[in-house]
Amino acid sequence: MIEFRPLPWLETAEGTPRRVGVELEMAGVDAETIARAVTDEVGGRFDADSAFSGHVVDSELGEFRVELDAEILTSRRYLDSLQQIGIDLGGGAVRDNVESLLSRLTGLVVPHELVCPPVPLDALPRIDAIRHRLNEAGARGTEASALYAFGLQFNIEIHDDGVPALLSILRAFLLRVDAIIEKEDIDFSRKLTPYVHSFPEDFVAHLLDPDYAPTREGLIDDYLRFSPTRNRPLDALPLFAWLDADRVAAAPVEHALIKARPAWHYRLPNCRIDDPDWTLAQPWSEWVEVECLAAQPRELVRTARRRLASSSALKRWWAGAWRALTSRGGS
């Protein structure tokens, strides 16, 4: 049994065990194969929505979702485009065969994604066992092709929604992220995509300032001002949308893609699902290091001071100038 390091806070503020959701992106396997890896490990049955997507229901751990990360296919909007040029696939075997072919072809560059339900921390080895089954089934990960900007994502339930707790996790992540990137050896294809862009330097300096003591509203406003996007290695927008839906809804962010939940959306690691020696326990350990630093206030302050000493005025100015330039370009 794979051992997963424990978090420093095992329960929420309400006294319930903390949970974590896992999302795995991969190629080389279709939705049915992914679902079979789930049902073979935790039971349940696969309800297919199409050749691209479906749900595993009635499993021991809850409902799993399998989908191709291409909304035009999973929503079947491509049928509308075909009808506009006089092609009607209907709803029978012809459409099913076309979708099966599309699923195989798009799966070469667009990942299938397995979205696991939030599970107790002690159930993470069961999720890793599913990962092992997918490896044996031929799933391919980030490093299998220069086209694969695939990622692994953890949705880690917060232990406390108070500002000191939220701020300590954000600060600890900003202080640990460079070491995580080096350890993970983030794939070049992922660096070229917008999915894991680093936080701007002026935001880093702002949050690490020892005199920074915001209200919850102020913390969310500052995040939205400095980093109005979900494309960060730690995406706080789902959490902030859960804490203050109206505030996030009023900001110029990717509203349609934000799913409110009381969890940190950690989306930095590569998905090395085709490496037989890789396990989920490895990237999980990197997150544990973040929380361990957050749980040590004095060390957090000392580390922040060292990081601030390396933050030049020029870096901070350039971050602000680039944000202003790109925001005008997108308006």
Side-chain angles (χ1 to χ4, degrees):
M1 182 73 73
I2 299 296
E3 290 190 9
F4 284 78
R5 291 179 59 188
L7 295 171
W9 296 284
L10 296 178
E11 296 182 341
T12 67
E14 291 74 31
T16 59
R18 293 176 71 189
R19 299 176 301 165
V20 58
V22 180
E23 301 176 35
L24 288 158
E25 296 176 341
M26 69 202 81
V29 285
D30 58 19
E32 187 173 343
T33 301
I34 296 171
R36 189 180 308 116
V38 175
T39 56
D40 285 351
E41 180 61 34
V42 296
R45 70 178 190 279
F46 182 47
D47 287 346
D49 300 325
S50 69
F52 313 118
S53 62
H55 297 77
V56 173
V57 298
D58 298 333
S59 84
E60 297 172 28
L61 297 179
E63 183 174 306
F64 292 73
R65 189 169 76 251
V66 184
E67 58 189 33
L68 193 68
D69 193 9
E71 193 272 338
I72 190 172
L73 298 179
T74 56
S75 67
R76 288 189 166 131
R77 286 194 293 113
Y78 77 95
L79 293 174
D80 297 334
S81 300
L82 290 177
Q83 287 177 345
Q84 289 177 10
I85 59 174
I87 300 175
D88 186 356
L89 295 182
V94 173
R95 187 195 67 188
D96 292 343
N97 289 336
V98 169
E99 289 190 344
S100 179
L101 175 61
L102 286 172
S103 178
R104 292 194 298 272
L105 292 176
T106 55
L108 296 174
V109 291
V110 178
H112 272 94
E113 186 172 22
L114 173 63
V115 181
C116 306
V119 300
L121 301 181
D122 61 7
L124 278 172
R126 302 294 303 280
I127 303 298
D128 197 60
I130 294 171
R131 184 274 318 160
H132 177 69
R133 290 180 183 274
L134 288 166
N135 169 271
E136 291 187 324
R140 298 198 297 273
T142 315
E143 297 178 343
S145 169
L147 298 174
Y148 293 169
F150 300 166
L152 162 72
Q153 303 175 39
F154 289 115
N155 294 293
I156 308 105
E157 187 174 18
I158 58 173
H159 71 282
D160 188 339
D161 64 5
V163 173
L166 300 175
L167 187 55
S168 68
I169 293 291
L170 277 171
R171 283 171 164 166
F173 184 80
L174 293 174
L175 294 168
R176 289 288 308 160
V177 66
D178 289 342
I180 295 174
I181 289 173
E182 182 177 357
K183 187 174 182 180
E184 274 288 316
D185 190 21
I186 299 300
D187 191 79
F188 183 70
S189 63
R190 298 192 71 216
K191 291 179 179 178
L192 291 177
T193 69
Y195 306 140
V196 290
H197 282 177
S198 297
F199 284 100
E201 183 65 18
D202 53 354
F203 175 73
V204 175
H206 188 74
L207 255 68
L208 296 184
D209 185 334
D211 295 326
Y212 182 59
T215 62
R216 176 185 288 176
E217 294 78 9
L219 176 61
I220 296 175
D221 284 343
D222 285 342
Y223 187 95
L224 294 171
R225 176 165 60 96
F226 284 100
S227 181
T229 178
R230 61 190 292 272
N231 294 327
R232 299 296 183 199
L234 181 62
D235 172 19
L237 291 179
L239 171 57
F240 290 158
W242 180 78
L243 291 170
D244 195 332
D246 292 340
R247 205 168 223 91
V248 174
V253 294
E254 305 95 325
H255 300 108
L257 299 174
I258 298 171
K259 300 174 183 176
R261 56 198 166 205
W264 298 106
H265 186 198
Y266 174 47
R267 59 205 306 261
L268 176 59
N270 293 323
C271 183
R272 295 191 171 101
I273 199 167
D274 48 352
D275 181 350
D277 297 323
W278 180 79
T279 76
L280 299 182
Q282 296 166 17
W284 173 253
S285 181
E286 295 159 6
W287 176 261
V288 174
E289 288 293 330
V290 170
E291 292 210 9
C292 285
L293 178 57
Q296 302 175 69
R298 291 183 180 178
E299 182 61 25
L300 190 62
V301 170
R302 284 195 292 267
T303 309
R305 285 175 177 164
R306 290 197 297 269
R307 175 63 176 83
L308 281 171
S310 69
S311 179
S312 69
L314 179 59
K315 288 180 181 179
R316 296 192 294 274
W317 174 85
W318 173 248
W322 178 254
R323 182 170 53 253
L325 180 64
T326 53
S327 64
R328 283 199 301 270
S331 62

